[in-house]
Amino acid sequence: MLTDYRTVIVVLVAAAATFLTRLFPFALFGRNNKEVPHFIRYLGDILPLAIIGALIVYCLSDFISGDINVVAPKLIGVTATAIIHYLKKNTLLSISVGTIGYMLLIHFVFI
């Protein structure tokens, strides 16, 4: 069980780790107008798509069960996200609509 002291330490360590991982690229490439290596630019272009693909595969991995209460809300959420993103080209809006729609479906429709 975490005491108040340990909770504060955990939060401080998490905050420091987050800050340092955000600071690292700027410290490494931000000085003296250094050119960012081609490989790093390539990773910056390709990794977001790879992560999205991995998340889609992970989220839709329950299709094997075949339960309509599991499959339908996920399909509707993914479809809503894709349609909103195609129409509006707004990532935050797309993710919000898909997530909120999915949560509403699993709590109120597919119980």
Side-chain angles (χ1 to χ4, degrees), residues 11-42:
V11 170
L12 288 175
V13 168
T18 302
F19 177 75
L20 291 174
T21 56
R22 300 296 192 265
L23 177 70
F24 180 70
F26 295 104
L28 188 62
F29 300 116
R31 300 183 293 167
N32 303 328
N33 294 327
K34 278 182 152 178
E35 180 72 22
V36 177
H38 177 70
F39 181 69
I40 301 297
R41 281 188 277 131
Y42 170 74

Side-chain angles (χ1 to χ4, degrees), residues 46-58:
I46 200 71
L47 280 180
L49 295 174
I51 292 169
I52 289 171
L55 286 172
I56 290 171
V57 169
Y58 174 75

Side-chain angles (χ1 to χ4, degrees), residues 68-87:
I68 192 70
N69 290 331
V70 173
V71 174
K74 289 184 179 187
L75 276 179
I76 294 168
V78 168
T79 305
T81 302
I83 290 171
I84 295 298
H85 190 71
Y86 179 76
L87 294 175

